[in-house]
Amino acid sequence: MSYDKPLPRPQPSQITAPKPYHLIPLPKEKPQLQHPKGHDQYYRDREACSEGTYRVHGRLHLRLTVQTGLHVSTGVVALGTDVGEKAIPLIKTMIQGNQGQLMIPGSSLKGVVRSTYEAITRSCLCKTKAKPNQIPPGYQECRDKTQLCPACRVFGALNWQGLIQFRDAECESTEFRRGFMPSLYRPHPHEYPGYFNQGKVAGRKFYYHTIRAVDKGQHQGISVQQAAKTVVFSTSLPYRNLTKGELGTLLIVLGQDTQHAIALKVGGGKPIGMGTMTVEVTSVESVDNIRDRYLSYQTQSQPLTGKPLQQLIQQAIQAAHRELVQSQPLQELVKVLGYPTEREPPEGMY
Ligand SMILES: [Zn+2]
């Protein structure tokens, strides 16, 4: 061994920890634009006759279980005494209901579900921070409501309301704990290596699930109101005029495809492992004939549970794989959002 030359100093790229996120490449084919099914066509049952145009209406009932730690910020920093935490001066709060139970705003859930739905279908790049000239041809955000990509048809676009409603999810208990969130370093999109390919956006960014979240450690940060592991939230998602494939894609995103088991990543602290939530579909109120429902005095439909519920879920997921879901982006997504996971939370830099 020769000592006459000093060893080269490691480059910054060699000493940084593995990235806590992965980029899901855009599908090779451009977004697939179609005229959405209008709310004006809500009552047309004749459409139910032919496959492909068959529409489903109903409501999913969901239980969401926190697997790491959850904080969805209100943007408000409160005095500790305001939330019954006398020992700490300041805390970042979550929304609380009348009984003091933590809430996840429907808009936060919608954002999470939509971004995953976009990634596994041929959908536009919506709400991106990239400049217009960095968007690959055909991937511009949909603006013409008669020509919408799969995600915009279901979740809404300019002047188009969408076909699924997201309601606030409510914690089933009034417990919360004081957690801790480091002040995260947030690089700009242009700093992400691999984010751009020849000057164009190359993928969508998703954070890995980990077996637990990083806690206090040596890092500087702030106290946050947090829902701890095993805490359960419940909500319901009403939907109308969805194709079976669209319902199935939603169910895949909600982690109901056993071949591609994934969990949601909700709220703040994603790079340090926070926000992992698993979903259970407890029942579905399925309305085959929406007009009957409106003509009837008895508006309660019989919710499906157990085996009939599982059959409905499986059939919808099969239709999703046939009609809408892009297999390669889905495989990539499962590498990041697949759950359960063995992945350790990041050490050091994140
Ligand atoms: Zn779109």
Side-chain angles (χ1 to χ4, degrees):
M1 210 183 219
S2 145
Y3 289 93
D4 52 2
K5 264 194 216 161
L7 288 168
R9 186 190 275 251
Q11 295 299 304
S13 61
Q14 293 172 295
I15 52 173
T16 20
K19 294 278 176 248
Y21 59 82
H22 181 62
L23 293 159
I24 310 301
L26 300 177
K28 290 200 180 65
E29 291 174 282
K30 287 179 190 176
Q32 193 178 33
L33 305 181
Q34 269 178 24
H35 198 301
K37 281 289 166 195
H39 302 142
D40 53 324
Q41 287 162 311
Y42 203 63
Y43 296 98
R44 277 204 211 157
D45 299 317
R46 196 174 288 176
E47 285 186 311
C49 298
S50 63
E51 249 272 80
T53 53
Y54 183 85
R55 301 282 152 169
V56 292
H57 325 278
R59 185 193 299 258
L60 299 178
H61 291 271
L62 307 177
R63 270 168 65 91
L64 295 91
T65 305
V66 179
Q67 300 294 347
T68 52
L70 175 79
H71 173 74
V72 184
S73 187
T74 52
V76 174
V77 178
L79 293 170
T81 48
D82 289 350
V83 293
E85 289 277 356
K86 294 190 182 75
I88 44 158
L90 295 172
I91 188 163
K92 278 177 99 170
T93 57
M94 284 180 70
I95 293 177
Q96 287 176 270
N98 294 336
Q99 319 299 321
Q101 73 280 33
L102 298 180
M103 310 277 283
I104 306 171
S107 56
S108 299
L109 290 174
K110 181 177 179 176
V112 170
V113 171
R114 178 175 185 146
S115 59
T116 309
Y117 194 105
E118 285 171 2
I120 61 171
T121 55
R122 286 169 57 190
S123 290
C124 72
L125 278 169
C126 186
K127 294 188 175 73
T128 171
K129 290 187 185 103
K131 298 187 187 98
N133 64 356
Q134 294 171 323
I135 310 280
Y139 280 90
Q140 293 84 358
E141 187 169 340
C142 302
R143 302 224 163 259
D144 174 0
K145 72 169 184 175
T146 66
Q147 289 295 307
L148 296 179
C149 75
C152 286
R153 291 202 290 274
V154 168
F155 296 92
L158 192 70
N159 300 320
W160 171 248
Q161 216 188 346
L163 304 172
I164 309 177
Q165 255 180 291
F166 285 80
R167 307 209 163 153
D168 295 350
E170 197 172 308
C171 191
E172 291 184 352
S173 64
T174 54
E175 63 188 298
F176 65 83
R177 69 180 273 254
R178 174 158 56 95
F180 180 84
M181 211 152 73
S183 348
L184 297 171
Y185 164 64
R186 248 189 133 166
H188 275 276
H190 65 259
E191 292 174 45
Y192 301 139
Y195 190 77
F196 291 102
N197 182 11
Q198 297 175 337
K200 303 284 183 197
V201 175
R204 295 175 158 100
K205 186 176 157 197
F206 286 87
Y207 285 96
Y208 288 99
H209 288 304
T210 56
I211 52 173
R212 62 177 174 278
V214 173
D215 209 5
K216 196 158 185 170
Q218 75 271 40
H219 301 284
Q220 301 264 311
I222 185 168
S223 295
V224 294
Q225 206 173 19
Q226 198 182 80
K229 185 176 166 80
T230 71
V231 165
V232 175
F233 288 78
S234 56
T235 190
S236 69
L237 300 186
Y239 57 89
R240 56 188 166 180
N241 277 327
L242 292 183
T243 65
K244 240 183 195 181
E246 287 169 340
L247 178 63
T249 308
L250 175 67
L251 289 163
I252 293 170
V253 171
L254 294 174
Q256 304 306 303
D257 182 357
T258 47
Q259 304 298 307
H260 304 92
I262 57 176
L264 301 179
K265 192 85 161 147
V266 184
K270 291 188 181 79
I272 58 163
M274 288 176 65
T276 298
M277 295 189 95
T278 50
V279 183
E280 184 195 344
V281 180
T282 52
S283 67
V284 177
E285 289 171 62
S286 181
V287 186
D288 278 335
N289 188 329
I290 202 92
R291 188 173 58 189
D292 282 356
R293 188 176 176 181
Y294 274 77
L295 293 174
S296 163
Y297 289 108
Q298 201 185 344
T299 52
Q300 284 292 49
S301 57
Q302 208 46 258
L304 292 181
T305 55
K307 214 174 170 190
L309 171 64
Q310 289 312 314
Q311 276 170 353
L312 179 141
I313 290 175
Q314 291 318 314
Q315 284 175 8
I317 288 174
Q318 282 165 19
H321 285 294
R322 274 198 310 271
E323 296 164 19
L324 266 178
V325 172
Q326 305 296 297
S327 71
Q328 217 178 349
L330 178 62
Q331 307 302 330
E332 290 289 317
L333 191 83
V334 169
K335 289 183 199 165
V336 196
L337 294 185
Y339 198 84
T341 178
E342 294 293 309
R343 199 177 176 92
E344 292 285 330
E347 302 270 341
M349 287 177 66
Y350 32 75

PDB file of all heavy atoms in Angstrom, residues 33 114 123-124 140-142 148-152, ligand 1:
ATOM      1  N   LEU A  33     -57.275  11.612 -22.742  1.00  0.00           N
ATOM      2  CA  LEU A  33     -58.317  12.595 -22.458  1.00  0.00           C
ATOM      3  C   LEU A  33     -59.673  12.119 -22.963  1.00  0.00           C
ATOM      4  O   LEU A  33     -59.787  11.554 -24.040  1.00  0.00           O
ATOM      5  CB  LEU A  33     -57.967  13.933 -23.118  1.00  0.00           C
ATOM      6  CG  LEU A  33     -56.596  14.502 -22.750  1.00  0.00           C
ATOM      7  CD1 LEU A  33     -56.363  15.838 -23.440  1.00  0.00           C
ATOM      8  CD2 LEU A  33     -56.417  14.648 -21.251  1.00  0.00           C
ATOM      9  N   ARG A 114     -55.495  11.449  -4.592  1.00  0.00           N
ATOM     10  CA  ARG A 114     -55.391  11.910  -5.975  1.00  0.00           C
ATOM     11  C   ARG A 114     -53.982  11.736  -6.521  1.00  0.00           C
ATOM     12  O   ARG A 114     -53.817  11.260  -7.659  1.00  0.00           O
ATOM     13  CB  ARG A 114     -55.809  13.382  -6.078  1.00  0.00           C
ATOM     14  CG  ARG A 114     -55.660  13.878  -7.493  1.00  0.00           C
ATOM     15  CD  ARG A 114     -56.157  15.290  -7.712  1.00  0.00           C
ATOM     16  NE  ARG A 114     -56.050  15.565  -9.131  1.00  0.00           N
ATOM     17  CZ  ARG A 114     -56.874  16.313  -9.821  1.00  0.00           C
ATOM     18  NH1 ARG A 114     -57.875  16.924  -9.218  1.00  0.00           N
ATOM     19  NH2 ARG A 114     -56.708  16.474 -11.118  1.00  0.00           N
ATOM     20  N   SER A 123     -52.464  10.188 -16.431  1.00  0.00           N
ATOM     21  CA  SER A 123     -53.040  11.463 -16.022  1.00  0.00           C
ATOM     22  C   SER A 123     -52.056  12.616 -16.194  1.00  0.00           C
ATOM     23  O   SER A 123     -50.843  12.413 -16.301  1.00  0.00           O
ATOM     24  CB  SER A 123     -53.490  11.375 -14.568  1.00  0.00           C
ATOM     25  OG  SER A 123     -54.610  10.519 -14.465  1.00  0.00           O
ATOM     26  N   CYS A 124     -52.617  13.829 -16.201  1.00  0.00           N
ATOM     27  CA  CYS A 124     -51.802  15.028 -16.408  1.00  0.00           C
ATOM     28  C   CYS A 124     -50.959  15.327 -15.174  1.00  0.00           C
ATOM     29  O   CYS A 124     -51.148  14.745 -14.114  1.00  0.00           O
ATOM     30  CB  CYS A 124     -52.691  16.216 -16.743  1.00  0.00           C
ATOM     31  SG  CYS A 124     -53.661  16.843 -15.354  1.00  0.00           S
ATOM     32  N   GLN A 140     -49.618  18.728 -19.726  1.00  0.00           N
ATOM     33  CA  GLN A 140     -50.097  19.960 -19.098  1.00  0.00           C
ATOM     34  C   GLN A 140     -51.383  19.676 -18.330  1.00  0.00           C
ATOM     35  O   GLN A 140     -52.185  18.835 -18.735  1.00  0.00           O
ATOM     36  CB  GLN A 140     -50.404  21.035 -20.166  1.00  0.00           C
ATOM     37  CG  GLN A 140     -49.206  21.560 -20.911  1.00  0.00           C
ATOM     38  CD  GLN A 140     -48.815  20.668 -22.092  1.00  0.00           C
ATOM     39  OE1 GLN A 140     -49.431  19.620 -22.316  1.00  0.00           O
ATOM     40  NE2 GLN A 140     -47.799  21.077 -22.820  1.00  0.00           N
ATOM     41  N   GLU A 141     -51.586  20.432 -17.245  1.00  0.00           N
ATOM     42  CA  GLU A 141     -52.799  20.284 -16.443  1.00  0.00           C
ATOM     43  C   GLU A 141     -54.032  20.513 -17.321  1.00  0.00           C
ATOM     44  O   GLU A 141     -54.083  21.450 -18.111  1.00  0.00           O
ATOM     45  CB  GLU A 141     -52.762  21.314 -15.301  1.00  0.00           C
ATOM     46  CG  GLU A 141     -53.884  21.127 -14.325  1.00  0.00           C
ATOM     47  CD  GLU A 141     -53.701  21.967 -13.057  1.00  0.00           C
ATOM     48  OE1 GLU A 141     -52.564  22.383 -12.760  1.00  0.00           O
ATOM     49  OE2 GLU A 141     -54.712  22.188 -12.392  1.00  0.00           O
ATOM     50  N   CYS A 142     -55.037  19.633 -17.189  1.00  0.00           N
ATOM     51  CA  CYS A 142     -56.247  19.732 -18.016  1.00  0.00           C
ATOM     52  C   CYS A 142     -56.975  21.055 -17.751  1.00  0.00           C
ATOM     53  O   CYS A 142     -57.200  21.409 -16.601  1.00  0.00           O
ATOM     54  CB  CYS A 142     -57.195  18.581 -17.689  1.00  0.00           C
ATOM     55  SG  CYS A 142     -56.483  16.959 -17.925  1.00  0.00           S
ATOM     56  N   LEU A 148     -60.768  15.605 -20.374  1.00  0.00           N
ATOM     57  CA  LEU A 148     -60.075  15.471 -19.096  1.00  0.00           C
ATOM     58  C   LEU A 148     -59.347  14.138 -18.984  1.00  0.00           C
ATOM     59  O   LEU A 148     -59.817  13.111 -19.483  1.00  0.00           O
ATOM     60  CB  LEU A 148     -61.064  15.598 -17.942  1.00  0.00           C
ATOM     61  CG  LEU A 148     -61.779  16.950 -17.769  1.00  0.00           C
ATOM     62  CD1 LEU A 148     -62.746  16.878 -16.594  1.00  0.00           C
ATOM     63  CD2 LEU A 148     -60.789  18.085 -17.569  1.00  0.00           C
ATOM     64  N   CYS A 149     -58.214  14.169 -18.264  1.00  0.00           N
ATOM     65  CA  CYS A 149     -57.446  12.947 -18.020  1.00  0.00           C
ATOM     66  C   CYS A 149     -58.161  12.110 -16.947  1.00  0.00           C
ATOM     67  O   CYS A 149     -59.079  12.604 -16.286  1.00  0.00           O
ATOM     68  CB  CYS A 149     -56.027  13.312 -17.581  1.00  0.00           C
ATOM     69  SG  CYS A 149     -55.927  13.893 -15.883  1.00  0.00           S
ATOM     70  N   PRO A 150     -57.737  10.860 -16.744  1.00  0.00           N
ATOM     71  CA  PRO A 150     -58.432   9.994 -15.773  1.00  0.00           C
ATOM     72  C   PRO A 150     -58.568  10.612 -14.377  1.00  0.00           C
ATOM     73  O   PRO A 150     -59.639  10.550 -13.780  1.00  0.00           O
ATOM     74  CB  PRO A 150     -57.559   8.736 -15.738  1.00  0.00           C
ATOM     75  CG  PRO A 150     -56.930   8.679 -17.084  1.00  0.00           C
ATOM     76  CD  PRO A 150     -56.694  10.116 -17.485  1.00  0.00           C
ATOM     77  N   ALA A 151     -57.505  11.223 -13.854  1.00  0.00           N
ATOM     78  CA  ALA A 151     -57.577  11.776 -12.490  1.00  0.00           C
ATOM     79  C   ALA A 151     -58.493  12.996 -12.441  1.00  0.00           C
ATOM     80  O   ALA A 151     -59.282  13.135 -11.503  1.00  0.00           O
ATOM     81  CB  ALA A 151     -56.184  12.134 -11.987  1.00  0.00           C
ATOM     82  N   CYS A 152     -58.403  13.872 -13.435  1.00  0.00           N
ATOM     83  CA  CYS A 152     -59.258  15.072 -13.438  1.00  0.00           C
ATOM     84  C   CYS A 152     -60.732  14.690 -13.572  1.00  0.00           C
ATOM     85  O   CYS A 152     -61.593  15.347 -12.980  1.00  0.00           O
ATOM     86  CB  CYS A 152     -58.852  16.029 -14.554  1.00  0.00           C
ATOM     87  SG  CYS A 152     -57.301  16.912 -14.209  1.00  0.00           S
TER      88      CYS A 152
HETATM   89 ZN    ZN B   1     -55.875  16.166 -15.874  1.00  0.00          ZN
END
